Amino acid sequence: MEVDQHTFQLIASLSFVPRIVDHEKDGAIWSAINECAKSKKFDEKTFVRHLRTEIVKIRSKPTATHSVLAQINVPKNQKIPKTLSSYYGPMVPQAQILPGQLRILKEEHAFKSRLASFEDDFLFVRAKIKARDGRSALEEGIRSIQFSLGLLNLASQGYGLSKRFGIPSVPLGTYLLSSPVIVVDNDNRKMGGWLSDSSYPRQFKFNFTARRDDLDDLTTYTKRWMKRINRIDFPDRFATAIVLFQDGLSATQVDVALIKLWTCIELVTSRADGKEPLERAIERASSIFTPPELTRVRLDFIANSRHAVVHKGESGGHSLLCAQWASIYAGELLRFAAFNRHNLTKYADILDYLSSPISERRLKQNIRMSRLRLRALAQRSKARS
């Protein structure tokens, strides 16, 4: 095994059942490689034996209950709902850090150093996570919060075209994380060893405070979203698309926002195996908008701008405009996948619908050919009998 050439391909291709998170998988692989190096044996059998040993160690670790805490940019003076919907578990809003949590956090220097990052007038949200370590709890907690905020932005249409007034590097979304995300290890009564920094634009707090909608009213709509998500046959993929959507809306760099939002569009409009040209995703995405021809041109321009940023290292002069339009298209595609009037709930059916011709003449021709094929199959079956 040539470690230098194939390590990353190996990390990317390995999968485990039941699944383990990526940072655990990476750690297991590097530990197995180190054990092979110690014994100077890099054959496949030795590597697999050490890797299995590491995976057993990981899975034998007990899970602990963690609380993930953060603030969102919603003023406390709004009526606070009991929960906020999330695919990964309910989020509980609270006006302040609970006394029991505060007693634990006050003893931690890492918490004291971040007190200035919290706003006096914003709501906290809390998620309860069971995980083997603080890093896993942090990642799951952030994903859960981002999903919940993504639903709020979808329900309130808190995205789209807006003026930047000469400062493009600020978020596109209305509902945002506004503080670091902190993990509390409830079982061991200590602060987790992992936390995230905040990219919330505090200097523009007035412009990035979600005041326009009533949070309690919006939860009614987010519950409807959750019901629809639970009906479709690709909930994990759809939830990932919503997290990417929110990641794009909350990014402070417009190039990053463009990449995240375009990936969201591809998740909704591309085959799971990814073995088809990008043009197919653009054709499908444009088919639900009017006029589809103009939408196709816009989406092609957005895709090319994203390609220039990712593959050519260009500065992305059109990234802001492309990201804003991408947020509109991504939001409507997510809405179509969840609430389409045709009641399509299977991923394959939705892709087939989006792939069908938008020309009435071509559709009639396809129907005619399908009927001829059905007639031929019936005749063949009759001849055999």
Side-chain angles (χ1 to χ4, degrees), residues 71 97 108-122 124 178-180 182 197-198 200-203 205:
Q71 276 189 318
I97 299 177
E108 304 284 349
H109 173 73
F111 175 71
K112 293 178 182 177
S113 66
R114 283 168 172 75
L115 273 175
S117 300
F118 294 94
E119 303 292 340
D120 293 335
D121 55 340
F122 280 174
F124 283 88
S178 61
S179 76
I182 292 176
D197 284 325
S198 172
Y200 177 71
R202 299 185 70 197
Q203 65 271 40
K205 178 183 173 182

Side-chain angles (χ1 to χ4, degrees), residues 158-205:
Y159 52 90
L161 300 176
S162 60
K163 292 181 180 180
R164 300 282 99 176
F165 296 105
I167 306 175
S169 295
V170 288
L172 303 176
T174 298
Y175 287 88
L176 304 166
L177 262 172
S178 61
S179 76
V181 180
I182 292 176
V183 177
V184 178
D185 185 341
N186 295 334
D187 292 348
N188 296 308
R189 298 190 58 77
K190 65 178 184 179
M191 182 175 169
W194 295 84
L195 44 81
S196 75
D197 284 325
S198 172
S199 58
Y200 177 71
R202 299 185 70 197
Q203 65 271 40
F204 307 114
K205 178 183 173 182

Side-chain angles (χ1 to χ4, degrees), residues 112-360:
K112 293 178 182 177
S113 66
R114 283 168 172 75
L115 273 175
S117 300
F118 294 94
E119 303 292 340
D120 293 335
D121 55 340
F122 280 174
L123 280 177
F124 283 88
V125 290
R126 170 172 50 90
K128 186 176 286 188
I129 306 289
K130 279 190 171 292
R132 284 188 282 260
D133 56 70
R135 179 174 175 179
S136 296
L138 178 68
E139 291 177 353
E140 290 181 34
I142 292 174
R143 186 163 55 246
S144 186
I145 294 171
Q146 288 291 82
F147 179 92
S148 184
L149 292 172
L151 282 190
L152 289 173
N153 277 314
L154 285 166
S156 65
Q157 293 190 322
Y159 52 90
L161 300 176
S162 60
K163 292 181 180 180
R164 300 282 99 176
F165 296 105
I167 306 175
S169 295
V170 288
L172 303 176
T174 298
Y175 287 88
L176 304 166
L177 262 172
S178 61
S179 76
V181 180
I182 292 176
V183 177
V184 178
D185 185 341
N186 295 334
D187 292 348
N188 296 308
R189 298 190 58 77
K190 65 178 184 179
M191 182 175 169
W194 295 84
L195 44 81
S196 75
D197 284 325
S198 172
S199 58
Y200 177 71
R202 299 185 70 197
Q203 65 271 40
F204 307 114
K205 178 183 173 182
F206 179 82
N207 303 91
F208 290 92
T209 298
R211 294 186 177 91
R212 292 182 299 172
D213 303 288
D214 189 311
L215 188 62
D216 192 50
D217 289 343
L218 284 179
T219 56
T220 302
Y221 295 98
T222 59
K223 287 176 183 177
R224 288 181 59 203
W225 273 89
M226 287 303 304
K227 287 181 181 179
R228 300 295 295 190
I229 292 169
N230 290 328
R231 289 183 58 198
I232 60 178
D233 73 345
F234 55 107
D236 290 343
R237 187 180 182 90
F238 193 81
T240 299
I242 290 180
V243 172
L244 282 166
F245 176 71
Q246 179 61 26
D247 286 346
L249 296 184
S250 56
T252 54
Q253 297 297 322
V254 290
D255 289 348
V256 175
L258 174 58
I259 293 168
K260 295 283 189 178
L261 291 166
W262 183 257
T263 307
C264 170
I265 290 172
E266 286 197 80
L267 269 183
V268 179
T269 58
S270 299
R271 303 280 179 192
D273 58 17
K275 295 180 180 178
E276 58 184 3
L278 181 61
E279 289 75 15
R280 294 294 293 141
I282 293 174
E283 288 177 8
R284 293 189 187 111
S286 64
S287 67
I288 65 169
F289 297 97
T290 304
E293 296 80 10
L294 177 59
T295 303
R296 190 180 301 115
V297 172
R298 278 202 190 122
L299 286 170
D300 188 61
F301 184 78
I302 293 169
N304 288 334
S305 295
R306 177 260 181 197
H307 180 86
V309 172
V310 173
H311 299 290
K312 298 181 181 180
E314 296 183 4
S315 60
H318 301 290
S319 293
L320 175 59
L321 182 63
C322 289
Q324 290 177 331
W325 274 106
S327 71
I328 295 172
Y329 291 130
E332 291 308 305
L333 285 164
L334 288 168
R335 189 169 282 104
F336 175 83
F339 292 100
N340 64 83
R341 69 180 68 180
H342 315 294
N343 205 29
L344 301 174
T345 57
K346 294 182 178 179
Y347 187 56
D349 290 345
I350 290 173
L351 290 187
D352 285 345
Y353 176 84
L354 295 176
S355 301
S356 60
I358 56 176
S359 162
E360 184 177 350

